[in-house]
Amino acid sequence: DAKTTQPNSMESNEEEPVHLPCNHSTISGTDYIHWYRQLPSQGPEYVIHGLTSNVNNRMASLAIAEDRKSSTLILHRATLRDAAVYYCILRSARQLTFGSGTQLTVLP
Amino acid sequence: NAGVTQTPKFQVLKTGQSMTLQCAQDMNHEYMSWYRQDPGMGLRLIHYSVGAGITDQGEVPNGYNVSRSTTEDFPLRLLSAAPSQTSVYFCASSGGSRIERGASTIHEQFFGPGTRLTVL
C-alpha cells in the first residue's frame, strides 16, 4: 500500500496561514489524496481531497505537486479551533490508510 | 440526520468475553468501515463493506467479525476479547462507493464518535 510521510508536529500563530506538507512518493495513478483532521477525543473529520488538480473548499486548500509525489494542505487563517492532528491519506479503491499524522498547535 | 452513531460509548470487558459494537448511519451510505486507534497512533482499518451483504478485511481483521445485513447497520463483533484489543473503535460511512475502472469514486467519510474499549 502507498504510504505517506508527514512531520510529527508543527506550530502556527493564530490568524496566520499554515502549510502542512505530505510526501507520498509511491502514489499510484488511481490514488486520491485525502486529508482528515482529528480533534481531541473525537472521530476524524474530512477536510479535503483531490486527485491531480489543486482544490479549494470552505475549510482549506489542497496543493498537489505536478508529479503527485507530494501535497500541501493550506489553512488560510489558523484559529485555535484548528488545533488537531492532521492526516494525509492516500485513498486506494476501497481503503483509507492512515499514518500517524501531524499534530498542529495554534498559538494565540 | 443523526449521521453515524455508535454504541456503547465506553465498555470494559474481561479477557475471553465476547461483545458487539454497534454502528448505524441514516445517510443511505453504501460504504461503511471499522477502524481502531491505539494511543498516540493513527487509525487502522479492521473491516469494511461496500454494500449490504458484502464485507471485506482491512489491515487488522484478526479477532473481529462483521456482517452487513442492512444498509444502515454494520456491527463489529469481538469473538474472544484480549487485552491487545484495548483501543478506541471508530465506525465510518461514505456514499458514492461504486468502483469504476479501478478508480475510487468514494466520497468523504463520516466518522462516529467512537467506542472506548478496555479489556482486562
Side-chain angles (χ1 to χ4, degrees):
Chain A
D1 289 339
K3 300 291 187 199
T4 62
T5 303
Q6 300 176 252
N8 289 335
S9 62
M10 291 185 65
E11 279 188 357
S12 173
N13 294 320
E14 197 176 9
E15 300 197 1
E16 290 187 356
V18 182
H19 289 67
L20 296 165
C22 180
N23 288 323
H24 28 79
S25 57
T26 59
I27 190 170
S28 73
T30 56
D31 284 339
Y32 281 73
I33 302 160
H34 285 238
W35 283 81
Y36 282 74
R37 72 180 186 181
Q38 187 174 23
L39 279 65
S41 300
Q42 293 189 25
E45 173 189 31
Y46 168 83
V47 177
I48 200 167
H49 78 276
L51 184 62
T52 56
S53 303
N54 294 345
V55 184
N56 299 297
N57 66 20
R58 62 177 178 80
M59 289 182 69
S61 297
L62 176 60
I64 301 173
E66 195 170 335
D67 63 7
R68 299 207 331 124
K69 293 183 185 297
S70 65
S71 61
T72 302
L73 178 71
I74 302 165
L75 307 179
H76 295 287
R77 286 184 64 201
T79 70
L80 297 178
R81 288 177 294 179
D82 291 324
V85 178
Y86 286 79
Y87 295 99
C88 168
I89 301 158
L90 299 184
R91 179 96 194 209
S92 61
R94 295 185 172 191
Q95 298 188 21
L96 280 178
T97 302
F98 283 77
S100 53
T102 296
Q103 174 69 62
L104 176 65
T105 300
V106 181
L107 304 173
Chain B
N1 288 346
V4 179
T5 57
Q6 293 184 236
T7 56
K9 285 188 169 54
F10 301 93
Q11 183 70 49
V12 179
L13 293 177
K14 295 181 179 177
T15 297
Q17 286 185 312
S18 63
M19 79 158 295
T20 300
L21 307 184
Q22 301 292 343
C23 174
Q25 51 90 11
D26 60 359
M27 298 172 282
N28 201 32
H29 284 167
E30 291 295 323
Y31 185 94
M32 296 185 74
S33 53
W34 276 102
Y35 295 85
R36 61 176 286 174
Q37 185 173 32
D38 299 329
M41 307 281 286
L43 281 72
R44 290 186 292 169
L45 182 66
I46 304 171
H47 286 284
Y48 64 96
S49 168
V50 298
I54 306 169
T55 63
D56 208 344
Q57 295 181 349
E59 181 185 355
V60 288
N62 292 341
Y64 307 95
N65 273 356
V66 292
S67 60
R68 186 91 180 273
S69 56
T70 67
T71 298
E72 295 77 20
D73 301 297
F74 190 43
L76 177 72
R77 297 183 189 85
L78 278 70
L79 308 172
S80 177
S84 62
Q85 293 178 304
T86 294
S87 190
V88 181
Y89 291 84
F90 291 102
C91 178
S93 75
S94 70
S97 63
R98 188 174 62 175
I99 310 303
E100 296 179 341
R101 299 179 186 173
S104 170
T105 58
I106 297 175
H107 302 313
E108 66 179 279
Q109 286 207 27
F110 295 84
F111 283 81
T115 294
R116 188 175 297 274
L117 176 68
T118 300
V119 182
L120 302 176

